[in-house]
Amino acid sequence: MVVGSSRLDEVLIDTPDVLFSKFEHLGVYGRAEVERAADASGHAMALRFSDTEIFPKPVTLRRLTSLARGRGLTWSPGSLISLSKISSELFQAVYQEGHRTT
């Protein structure tokens, strides 16, 4: 389900030590988790979001797929678990669906 939206403000790629030091105060990940996220080059990625909004009505996977196909867009459910850019048209449709009251 899509339960909300956020704006991606910044993508930071650096060593786990640098990222952990910068974001430790947020308490989201421990140092060991950040180290495990590092790739073969020894770098990890941190994403900084803002304007997070929870939808009054979650958008189901079935409905999300339908919204994409109805716009002639190719979309894969696997996109939800990775970074992927969607069209502004699909984002607007999902956002409106999440705010529907009927």
Side-chain angles (χ1 to χ4, degrees):
M1 281 194 185
V2 178
V3 298
S5 67
S6 295
R7 183 178 63 220
L8 177 62
D9 293 323
E10 185 176 18
V11 177
L12 297 152
I13 299 174
D14 212 321
T15 65
D17 284 337
V18 169
L19 294 176
F20 183 76
S21 295
K22 183 167 184 151
F23 297 109
E24 177 181 14
H25 68 282
L26 298 174
V28 177
Y29 291 104
R31 183 179 301 274
E33 292 167 307
V34 178
E35 289 171 353
R36 282 194 299 274
D39 62 14
S41 73
H43 288 88
M45 180 174 19
L47 307 174
R48 192 169 60 80
F49 294 94
S50 65
D51 297 332
T52 298
E53 180 179 348
I54 304 300
F55 295 160
K57 176 187 171 206
V59 180
T60 66
L61 179 59
R62 177 178 286 165
R63 183 65 181 138
L64 177 58
T65 302
S66 174
L67 289 169
R69 288 186 180 147
R71 286 159 178 75
L73 302 171
T74 302
W75 180 82
S76 163
S79 298
L80 287 178
I81 59 172
S82 64
L83 294 175
S84 60
K85 186 174 183 175
I86 64 169
S87 70
S88 58
E89 181 182 2
L90 180 56
F91 174 80
Q92 184 176 23
V94 171
Y95 188 87
Q96 288 174 346
E97 184 73 17
H99 286 84
R100 278 186 25 178
T101 57
T102 58

